Amino acid sequence: VERFAVCVRDYAVVMLGRSTLDSSFCVAEVQRSAITRRVIAFSTQYRPDGTCELSDMPRFRGEISAVLPLAATPDILQGAASLATLVCTVQVINHVGREWSSADYDSYVSLYLGSQQVAEDPAVIEQWRAEVHEFLRDQVGVLPTEEAAQRMLYGTGDAGRNGCPDIPGLFTNEFLGHTSFASSVVYQSQSVLHWVVLSTDLKPSRNWRPDPIRAHPAELCVEADGTGEWRHCWIRLEPRQVTYVFLDFMERLHQPFHALQRVDYDEEKL
């Protein structure tokens, strides 16, 4: 892997970079330091010739297949926390068919193996499942119990419908493992998994579940002591809620952002 993209959802930041190795490394050290990426284009819509819409997209053949995204938190961006060992990034392609569909508008979740965690521990898989479930529910607008989500996660459901092949799910031994990460192909091959799926494949129904709009600078009027004050913020439209992060404009070099706030949608609109 030569190109990376560090994605921080709350700040609408996608930073591109390249990996480099010290020129003094010997051949064995270079081989040990290399990162092998396995890209999976998961789709529920296949054509009669066996090809899928996702792998034929210009974006997939260009930026997606060439760049490994890493979802990071604001703490990591500010240097208050460090990255653990990257195991997998799930990338959901949003706004399919729209001219603004790009890495800035996609949704990401990255799964990491912490320094205190071991691959044989079943609790690691349980934690990753919970993280992906929360990501699908809050950032994509898909319940983990829905058929499309179950097919992507566990390979269950009517796999033969619409000509879809029986693709193993994310949490099977073919990929991240069913009961432990140590039993998975990804662990045994020492690779990083890049799982890519279209939002339209995960949300096939006609119910209103919008794809997220990236965070944009805005101002909110906050009332305190009977008076209103306009405050700078980043605001983001998500499938189930609106999130906003207040920006302390005068002290942004020291404490740039306050806690993330949420305003839920009316569930009847979803």
Side-chain angles (χ1 to χ4, degrees), residues 108-206:
Y108 308 90
V109 61
S110 291
L111 306 176
Y112 297 94
L113 187 67
S115 58
Q116 303 300 317
Q117 295 177 310
V118 292
E120 293 79 11
D121 188 355
V124 172
I125 290 292
E126 293 301 320
Q127 175 186 323
W128 289 347
R129 282 199 187 109
E131 291 177 10
V132 175
H133 286 188
E134 180 181 7
F135 164 75
L136 292 175
R137 183 182 64 250
D138 295 343
Q139 297 189 40
V140 184
V142 176
L143 294 177
T145 55
E146 294 183 47
E147 180 182 341
Q150 286 287 304
R151 189 182 305 157
M152 186 194 85
L153 296 174
Y154 308 112
T156 58
D158 188 3
R161 190 172 63 182
N162 298 327
C164 299
D166 187 10
I167 302 176
L170 180 64
F171 290 103
T172 61
N173 288 338
E174 178 67 21
F175 297 114
L176 295 183
H178 179 62
T179 57
S180 74
F181 179 47
S183 63
S184 70
V185 172
V186 170
Y187 175 79
Q188 294 168 5
S189 63
Q190 297 185 341
S191 57
V192 174
L193 183 63
H194 183 187
W195 189 279
V196 189
V197 61
L198 299 175
S199 67
T200 50
D201 278 355
L202 292 175
K203 298 184 282 189
S205 69
R206 297 181 180 231

Side-chain angles (χ1 to χ4, degrees), residues 57 59 93-103 105-106:
M57 291 177 59
R59 278 195 61 201
I93 308 301
N94 294 318
H95 307 285
V96 178
R98 304 292 185 180
E99 61 181 13
W100 59 82
S101 180
S102 65
Y105 287 93
D106 291 344

